[in-house]
């Protein structure tokens, strides 16, 4: 389950900030970085909503903010790990997590399929490599992505640097680009 807390960043953090701003809790510009203002806005929202004011945006808090959460079981984590291994196996660990984060970002975005397995299938339809037997590092990267680490900066696609990107490149990690 993805959780967001002080120091995390990405599209979901920006969405948390947008929702909190719309409710009058968050006074700053939306930057997608969970810092002090996000923390204090979230704890105020949690207090007012009858939740424990822990400053952590977990499933209950996200749902009360109207933010879709993605559920992942062990089969999803293993399938995602295989996908990561096939598409980023020789890349730095952050790139491996970023590939997993792209899948999670798509699952949380309203414009794509909503399960991890369906997202992986859609990548296969786009010509991305089929999953392979994952190694321990791929499973760890999968867990990190499912738990909310997003080195991609909220990207919805990835490609090798030699491939023509579909849109604006947000990040370059190893030999991969993310946007």
């Amino acid at each position: 389950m993805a959780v967001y807390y002080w120091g995390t960043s990405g599209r979901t953090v920006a969405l948390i900030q947008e929702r909190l701003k719309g409710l009058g809790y968050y006074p700053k510009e939306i930057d997608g970085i969970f810092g002090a203002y996000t923390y204090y806005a979230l704890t105020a929202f949690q207090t007012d909503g009858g939740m424990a004011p822990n400053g952590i945006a977990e499933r209950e808090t996200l749902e009360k903010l109207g933010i879709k959460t993605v559920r992942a079981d062990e089969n999803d984590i293993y399938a995602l790990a295989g996908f990561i291994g096939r598409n980023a196996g020789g890349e730095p660990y952050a790139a491996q997590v970023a590939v997993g984060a792209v899948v999670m970002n798509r699952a949380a975005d309203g414009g794509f399929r909503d399960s991890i397995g369906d997202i992986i299938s859609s990548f296969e339809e786009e010509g991305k490599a089929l999953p392979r037997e994952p190694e321990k590092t791929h499973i760890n990267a999968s867990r990190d992505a499912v738990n909310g680490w997003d080195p991609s900066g909220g990207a919805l696609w990835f490609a090798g640097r030699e491939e023509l990107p579909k849109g604006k490149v947000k990040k370059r990690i190893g030999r991969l680009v993310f946007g």
Side-chain angles (χ1 to χ4, degrees):
M1 172 182 79
V3 295
Y4 303 89
Y5 48 87
W6 197 309
T8 57
S9 63
R11 288 171 42 102
T12 304
V13 174
L15 185 55
I16 291 167
Q17 292 170 333
E18 287 175 17
R19 298 291 167 86
L20 290 170
K21 187 173 190 127
L23 294 169
Y25 291 98
Y26 186 75
K28 295 291 189 177
E29 292 298 316
I30 308 302
D31 63 5
I33 301 168
F34 199 126
Y37 285 99
T38 308
Y39 175 84
Y40 292 119
L42 187 64
T43 57
F45 172 77
Q46 289 172 323
T47 299
D48 291 349
M51 297 172 274
N54 60 10
I56 299 171
E58 73 294 319
R59 186 178 318 271
E60 178 187 11
T61 301
L62 293 171
E63 288 176 356
K64 286 197 176 187
L65 284 169
I67 297 172
K68 179 180 173 184
T69 60
V70 179
R71 300 180 195 279
D73 61 20
E74 286 301 311
N75 291 330
D76 292 323
I77 290 169
Y78 193 79
L80 183 57
F83 182 76
I84 290 168
R86 186 69 165 164
N87 290 284
E91 297 297 323
Y93 187 73
Q96 294 178 28
V97 177
V99 166
V102 168
V103 172
M104 298 306 295
N105 292 339
R106 282 189 176 199
D109 187 276
F112 296 91
R113 298 173 184 175
D114 60 2
S115 77
I116 292 170
D118 288 345
I119 297 295
I120 291 171
S121 294
S122 73
F123 271 113
E124 292 166 5
E125 292 165 9
E126 292 177 18
K128 294 290 182 198
L130 297 172
R132 74 171 191 196
E133 190 70 21
E135 298 172 9
K136 184 168 179 58
T137 186
H138 307 141
I139 293 170
N140 291 339
S142 175
R143 288 188 194 287
D144 281 342
V146 166
N147 287 328
W149 183 23
D150 185 2
S152 78
L156 295 173
W157 61 266
F158 69 93
R161 286 191 179 183
E162 68 282 353
E163 298 177 45
L164 181 64
K166 295 179 183 179
K168 183 179 175 188
V169 173
K170 291 183 176 187
K171 293 269 181 140
R172 295 179 188 275
I173 308 171
R175 293 180 309 233
L176 299 176
V177 292
F178 299 86

